[in-house]
Amino acid sequence: MIEVLASRNGPSVIRLDGRYLASSIDPIREAASWAERALRASGDKPTIFVVGVGCGYHVAALKALARSEKHVIAMDPSSQIVKHALMFNPTLDPSDIVVEIDKLKWTANQHICDALLGEPFAIVTHAPTAQIHPEWVKETESFLLAREKTSFLLQLRLRPELFAHLDPKKIEAMGNETVSIKTLQSLFRGNGLADRQNPADSRERRIWRVLEELVL
Amino acid sequence: MKILVISLLRVGDLAMTAPVLRDLRASLAPGAKLDLLVNSQSLQVAKLLPSIDSVHVFERDTIQKGLGDPAVPFFESYERLSSLLDVLNAQSYDTVINLTHTRLSGWIASLVQANRRVGLSFDQEGKATFGSNWFRYLNAQVEADGKDIFHYNDVFRFALGVQPSGGDAFKETQEGKEEAQAILAKKTNPESSLICVQALTSDTKKDWNLKSYARALKAFNERHSNVAVAVLAAPFEEQKLKPFVEDLRATGIDAFIAVTSFAGAFSLLKKSKLLITLDTSIKHLAAAAHTPILEVCLGSSDPYRTGAYRDGAVVVSSKETCAPCVHSRACHRERRFCDEKIPSDAIAMLASELYEKRSFQLSMIAESYGESIEVRRVRLKDAPFWTLGGIEESFTEANVGRLIDLTSRKIWLSGLNRSVDGVGHEIFTLSRMLRSMYPKTSEIEWRHVLSDFERQLMMIEGRVNSFKTGIRVLHGAYEDTTKLGEFVRGLIALREKIKPSPLMTSFKISLDQAIEDDISPAFTRFRRITDIVNEIDKRATITLRIIRSLGQQLDSANEAEHL
């Protein structure tokens, strides 16, 4: 059950099934502190995925702190929560928030796809959301990391140039271990030379060649 | 013209190649752009290179970490590398020069669009390309040991076709000067001279024990009491060096630890009258700062490839037969004998000579301690290539033959044999070097050695001609393993014949490549054998020409005398 309450310092907060999604005392101050830590943790990465929208204060604080230097995308499983967050934070742009509960549909979301490709990104998690939706948070993080089989295969859909170099039979036979560069090495077609079947994509294969050499 | 140089090895390797980059810049037309791609650790050295316009950074550690860390998105390393390549390709380079010579750098070189590539790269089919005979040679040299090889800087210079130019390989920065000033302020006597000491390396196998080092500095101090000693150190080395420095100070030496950046170290070296060092990148800074260098070479240090690129630098190493040892392995002996056998007195005396800019006692010191150490000196000025030889190199077939062989190899690899002037110039430079090295050698001794060399080469020419006939016969039958095996046995016999000759060391190395390849398919093997026989044939012609030219110069000298 969603309840909208006033915090001690004034701004509204959401209580969902008895759990606060932000500080019941000073959610703005908490959000500012969270945003500083998140920005620091993101390092030089130009994009930040925020897993869990909650009351939206931390997302708004992060966007304000990062200004135009970082692209912030927030994700949440609940459209109702997001609706309230947008009300509490008029500066938040709805297009920067993705509401989707089904990970299989994330790769259909252009916003997510654009953020996943081209530049490194950081993942920061909203702890109250993790307490309320632990499975969803875990799946979202896993999807973004692409370190387990399903999420790796989902993200592979976004990379047809890479996919063209891989052997479908080997993909099918893939195990469930954490995805690493060695996993990818084992999926490539042929004997590891530039893929003669896909010469147009040899840039892709060569980049992975460089990465393989780093691991050797 | 836009050029990208890829230098992804260690900081010391980049520092070493600074003169090459300077010479490359000097060879370019005004307005040409020369950029550098380095690892992030090398950035502080890259910023000191006046020859470079822009520096791009390969975030090796971050990318490598990202691959192995499950908390980092899997594709992040790919995106980082891809972004870097986009930035590089936006520059539209005409030429990519890869000085790194690793598979990693070769793949990166292949990904940067350019009309021309020099150094290791990979073609469309994933096969290695070198863009120059010199880089192909480098590929083979990696396996070679001993002194019959070219310094890496020479390989790069000759591959790029650049001549030595004047000018600074490094530039002093304001920050570096200020750092150096702050360190010099530690001197007890501001008027005293300064020497720098590099006491530690990144590899304990290359370290000289600090007790012996201290003894050497104390003995040096007995002769030169008004000299301050700056012990160069990285921040994490400071604690380890404190007792060493305190020990020196307790005997009255004005010694202090100098923790500096590369910029600060360079400025400090410019004010220093001597650097005593182990095998570290600091020696390359000292070479560029024109500071006299005394290097103690231990463990896996290999001065023939990476020695200080400065005329007159002195290198001391022990005569232990296991030196240089394998880089990546721990010392296999019960004690580090190479370390123990370096006499502190010898180092002190050599340091004194270099400090005073004298050289007449160097050979006496080398001889006195000749049982335990080898003392060698770099020759670079007015020489066809960098060499490291005895202080007074004795006139032997081995020493002369080696230099002729290197010259012949240089002519061959540079393609100079196609031009009369090219060969003539190299022979002239070699001749000048030989005359300065052996001023007292009599004409009779020269003629004896040269005629012996000529005889050896004529024997080779005869054998090579018969191999060329053999190749024509083998041409249609190389799949026949018996016939191919017989041919290879002939090559083995030739190799045994030339093994003792220092004049033909490189011929032997080439023959090794033909003989020891027993895994390639028959056609590939046959082609390699053909190439090597042709190479030896041409090389023998070049070497013979050198020897006859040297002989003719003796004749000319005689005529001049008689006139």
Side-chain angles (χ1 to χ4, degrees), chain A residues 166-204:
Chain A
L166 304 183
D167 185 330
K169 286 185 185 155
K170 291 180 183 175
I171 294 173
E172 226 175 302
M174 217 178 126
N176 289 320
E177 68 275 12
T178 304
V179 174
S180 69
I181 184 79
K182 289 201 162 102
T183 315
L184 187 59
Q185 259 179 323
S186 68
L187 300 180
F188 280 111
R189 296 172 196 268
N191 60 1
L193 292 175
D195 188 351
R196 288 185 178 82
Q197 292 171 353
N198 293 287
D201 297 329
S202 62
R203 178 185 190 265
E204 183 79 22

Side-chain angles (χ1 to χ4, degrees), chain B residues 194-200 208 210 213-214 217 220 228-233 237 241 244-245 248 255-258 268-269 272 274-278 280 282 294 351:
Chain B
L194 175 76
I195 68 168
C196 288
V197 166
Q198 177 71 39
L200 296 174
W208 191 28
L210 290 176
Y213 221 140
L217 290 171
F220 176 85
V229 177
V231 180
L232 302 172
E237 293 171 332
L241 289 172
F244 172 67
V245 170
L248 294 176
F256 43 86
I257 293 182
L268 201 61
L269 285 163
S272 177
L274 174 67
L275 169 70
I276 306 174
T277 181
L278 306 168
T280 69
I282 291 293
L294 173 59

